[in-house]
Amino acid sequence: PSLMADLGDAETGAHRTEPPDVLAACVRHAQQVTVHLQCGAHAVPLTLFPHQRLLHCPLPIDLLLAQRDPDLQVIHIEPALLAAPTAAAWSRTRPAPFAIADLCWHPLGAVLWGLAWHGERRELLPEITGSVVYRVSHGMDLGDVTLSGTVLSAVYRLRREPCRLRDIATWPGFDRERAVRLLNGLYLQSGLIVSRSHPDAVSDSWFGAPSPR
């Protein structure tokens, strides 16, 4: 119930159906759920196991990540229909992201990162927008994600200092869209610290600076 309430609009009774929004909420609530996606003419069940950082998808993952909105929408959410593999079984079959013995199982972090970077969403997720500054948690695990040089440099910089969206957009190799995708991707990895009380965030709000939206 708390997950569905998080995704709902109290005024209209409608629910957000964009995959990044829904998957972010599932990870935030640490819920083992099956999310049914409309993928072209097919309904594809994605089963998430946030604690094990795993995702089960019967569709080839590259095909799923290649879908474009509005073809890829959430149509139903229910408790997980599968059980997660044991830790011992997973450790034996985990040579690299997207290269697992059972091709239906994938590292959750790699799939979420792919959706953030290659999906149609070009705006910040609702939970991280506004007059805020961002930092990256030192404990964030990006072991399942392949980072380019510019993105890796940006992650290291965000570990050292808090930054606003418009600052990140000026870094080498970045523009506003890439900055948004970076922040969404880091949030989906549960590694983004969002501060609304930092002096830079407060000054933005006080002087009426444009929102990161």
CSV table of all heavy atoms in Angstrom, one decimal, residues 176-197:
chain,number,residue,atom,x,y,z
A,176,ARG,N,22.8,19.9,-20.2
A,176,ARG,CA,21.7,19.7,-19.3
A,176,ARG,C,21.1,18.3,-19.3
A,176,ARG,O,20.9,17.7,-18.3
A,176,ARG,CB,20.6,20.7,-19.5
A,176,ARG,CG,19.5,20.7,-18.4
A,176,ARG,CD,18.3,21.6,-18.7
A,176,ARG,NE,17.4,21.6,-17.5
A,176,ARG,CZ,16.5,20.7,-17.3
A,176,ARG,NH1,16.4,19.6,-18.1
A,176,ARG,NH2,15.7,20.7,-16.3
A,177,GLU,N,20.8,17.8,-20.5
A,177,GLU,CA,20.2,16.4,-20.6
A,177,GLU,C,21.1,15.3,-20.0
A,177,GLU,O,20.7,14.5,-19.2
A,177,GLU,CB,19.9,16.1,-22.0
A,177,GLU,CG,19.3,14.7,-22.1
A,177,GLU,CD,18.9,14.3,-23.6
A,177,GLU,OE1,18.6,15.2,-24.4
A,177,GLU,OE2,18.9,13.1,-23.9
A,178,ARG,N,22.4,15.4,-20.3
A,178,ARG,CA,23.3,14.4,-19.7
A,178,ARG,C,23.4,14.5,-18.2
A,178,ARG,O,23.6,13.6,-17.5
A,178,ARG,CB,24.7,14.5,-20.4
A,178,ARG,CG,24.7,13.9,-21.8
A,178,ARG,CD,26.1,14.0,-22.4
A,178,ARG,NE,27.2,13.4,-21.6
A,178,ARG,CZ,27.5,12.1,-21.7
A,178,ARG,NH1,26.8,11.3,-22.5
A,178,ARG,NH2,28.5,11.6,-21.0
A,179,ALA,N,23.4,15.8,-17.7
A,179,ALA,CA,23.4,16.0,-16.3
A,179,ALA,C,22.2,15.4,-15.6
A,179,ALA,O,22.2,14.8,-14.6
A,179,ALA,CB,23.5,17.5,-16.0
A,180,VAL,N,21.0,15.6,-16.3
A,180,VAL,CA,19.8,15.0,-15.7
A,180,VAL,C,19.8,13.5,-15.7
A,180,VAL,O,19.5,12.8,-14.7
A,180,VAL,CB,18.6,15.5,-16.6
A,180,VAL,CG1,17.3,14.6,-16.3
A,180,VAL,CG2,18.3,16.9,-16.3
A,181,ARG,N,20.3,12.9,-16.8
A,181,ARG,CA,20.4,11.5,-16.9
A,181,ARG,C,21.4,10.9,-15.8
A,181,ARG,O,21.2,9.9,-15.2
A,181,ARG,CB,20.8,11.0,-18.3
A,181,ARG,CG,19.7,11.3,-19.3
A,181,ARG,CD,20.2,10.8,-20.7
A,181,ARG,NE,19.2,11.0,-21.7
A,181,ARG,CZ,18.1,10.2,-21.9
A,181,ARG,NH1,17.9,9.1,-21.2
A,181,ARG,NH2,17.2,10.5,-22.9
A,182,LEU,N,22.5,11.6,-15.6
A,182,LEU,CA,23.5,11.2,-14.6
A,182,LEU,C,22.8,11.2,-13.2
A,182,LEU,O,22.9,10.2,-12.5
A,182,LEU,CB,24.7,12.2,-14.6
A,182,LEU,CG,25.6,12.0,-13.4
A,182,LEU,CD1,26.4,10.6,-13.5
A,182,LEU,CD2,26.6,13.1,-13.4
A,183,LEU,N,22.1,12.3,-12.9
A,183,LEU,CA,21.5,12.4,-11.5
A,183,LEU,C,20.4,11.3,-11.4
A,183,LEU,O,20.2,10.7,-10.3
A,183,LEU,CB,20.9,13.8,-11.3
A,183,LEU,CG,22.0,14.9,-11.2
A,183,LEU,CD1,21.3,16.3,-11.2
A,183,LEU,CD2,22.8,14.7,-10.0
A,184,ASN,N,19.6,11.1,-12.4
A,184,ASN,CA,18.5,10.1,-12.3
A,184,ASN,C,19.2,8.7,-12.2
A,184,ASN,O,18.7,7.9,-11.4
A,184,ASN,CB,17.7,10.1,-13.6
A,184,ASN,CG,16.7,11.2,-13.6
A,184,ASN,OD1,16.4,11.8,-12.6
A,184,ASN,ND2,16.1,11.5,-14.8
A,185,GLY,N,20.2,8.5,-12.9
A,185,GLY,CA,20.9,7.2,-12.8
A,185,GLY,C,21.5,6.9,-11.4
A,185,GLY,O,21.4,5.8,-10.9
A,186,LEU,N,22.1,8.0,-10.8
A,186,LEU,CA,22.7,7.8,-9.5
A,186,LEU,C,21.6,7.6,-8.4
A,186,LEU,O,21.8,6.9,-7.5
A,186,LEU,CB,23.5,9.1,-9.2
A,186,LEU,CG,24.8,9.2,-10.0
A,186,LEU,CD1,25.4,10.6,-9.7
A,186,LEU,CD2,25.8,8.1,-9.7
A,187,TYR,N,20.5,8.3,-8.6
A,187,TYR,CA,19.4,8.2,-7.7
A,187,TYR,C,18.8,6.7,-7.7
A,187,TYR,O,18.5,6.1,-6.7
A,187,TYR,CB,18.3,9.1,-8.0
A,187,TYR,CG,17.1,9.0,-7.1
A,187,TYR,CD1,17.1,9.4,-5.8
A,187,TYR,CD2,15.9,8.5,-7.5
A,187,TYR,CE1,16.1,9.3,-4.9
A,187,TYR,CE2,14.8,8.4,-6.7
A,187,TYR,CZ,14.9,8.8,-5.4
A,187,TYR,OH,13.8,8.7,-4.5
A,188,LEU,N,18.7,6.2,-9.0
A,188,LEU,CA,18.3,4.8,-9.1
A,188,LEU,C,19.2,3.8,-8.5
A,188,LEU,O,18.9,2.6,-8.3
A,188,LEU,CB,18.0,4.5,-10.6
A,188,LEU,CG,16.8,5.2,-11.2
A,188,LEU,CD1,16.7,5.0,-12.7
A,188,LEU,CD2,15.5,4.7,-10.6
A,189,GLN,N,20.5,4.2,-8.3
A,189,GLN,CA,21.5,3.3,-7.7
A,189,GLN,C,21.5,3.5,-6.2
A,189,GLN,O,22.3,2.9,-5.5
A,189,GLN,CB,22.9,3.6,-8.2
A,189,GLN,CG,23.1,3.5,-9.7
A,189,GLN,CD,22.8,2.1,-10.2
A,189,GLN,OE1,23.3,1.1,-9.7
A,189,GLN,NE2,22.0,2.0,-11.3
A,190,SER,N,20.5,4.3,-5.7
A,190,SER,CA,20.4,4.6,-4.2
A,190,SER,C,21.7,5.2,-3.7
A,190,SER,O,22.1,5.0,-2.5
A,190,SER,CB,20.1,3.3,-3.4
A,190,SER,OG,18.9,2.7,-3.9
A,191,GLY,N,22.4,6.0,-4.5
A,191,GLY,CA,23.6,6.6,-4.1
A,191,GLY,C,23.7,8.1,-4.2
A,191,GLY,O,24.7,8.7,-4.0
A,192,LEU,N,22.5,8.7,-4.5
A,192,LEU,CA,22.5,10.2,-4.6
A,192,LEU,C,21.9,10.8,-3.3
A,192,LEU,O,20.9,10.5,-2.8
A,192,LEU,CB,21.6,10.6,-5.8
A,192,LEU,CG,21.6,12.1,-6.2
A,192,LEU,CD1,23.0,12.5,-6.7
A,192,LEU,CD2,20.5,12.4,-7.2
A,193,ILE,N,22.7,11.8,-2.8
A,193,ILE,CA,22.3,12.6,-1.6
A,193,ILE,C,21.7,13.9,-2.1
A,193,ILE,O,22.4,14.6,-2.8
A,193,ILE,CB,23.5,12.8,-0.7
A,193,ILE,CG1,24.0,11.5,-0.2
A,193,ILE,CG2,23.0,13.7,0.5
A,193,ILE,CD1,25.3,11.6,0.6
A,194,VAL,N,20.5,14.2,-1.8
A,194,VAL,CA,19.8,15.4,-2.2
A,194,VAL,C,19.6,16.3,-1.0
A,194,VAL,O,19.0,15.9,0.0
A,194,VAL,CB,18.4,15.1,-2.8
A,194,VAL,CG1,17.7,16.3,-3.3
A,194,VAL,CG2,18.6,14.1,-4.0
A,195,SER,N,20.2,17.5,-1.0
A,195,SER,CA,20.1,18.4,0.1
A,195,SER,C,19.3,19.7,-0.3
A,195,SER,O,19.6,20.3,-1.3
A,195,SER,CB,21.5,18.8,0.5
A,195,SER,OG,21.4,19.8,1.5
A,196,ARG,N,18.3,19.9,0.5
A,196,ARG,CA,17.5,21.1,0.3
A,196,ARG,C,17.8,22.2,1.3
A,196,ARG,O,17.3,23.3,1.3
A,196,ARG,CB,16.0,20.8,0.4
A,196,ARG,CG,15.6,19.7,-0.6
A,196,ARG,CD,14.1,19.4,-0.6
A,196,ARG,NE,13.8,18.3,-1.4
A,196,ARG,CZ,13.6,18.3,-2.8
A,196,ARG,NH1,13.7,19.5,-3.4
A,196,ARG,NH2,13.4,17.2,-3.5
A,197,SER,N,18.7,21.9,2.3
A,197,SER,CA,19.1,22.8,3.3
A,197,SER,C,20.5,23.4,3.1
A,197,SER,O,21.0,24.2,3.9
A,197,SER,CB,19.0,22.1,4.7
A,197,SER,OG,19.9,21.0,4.8
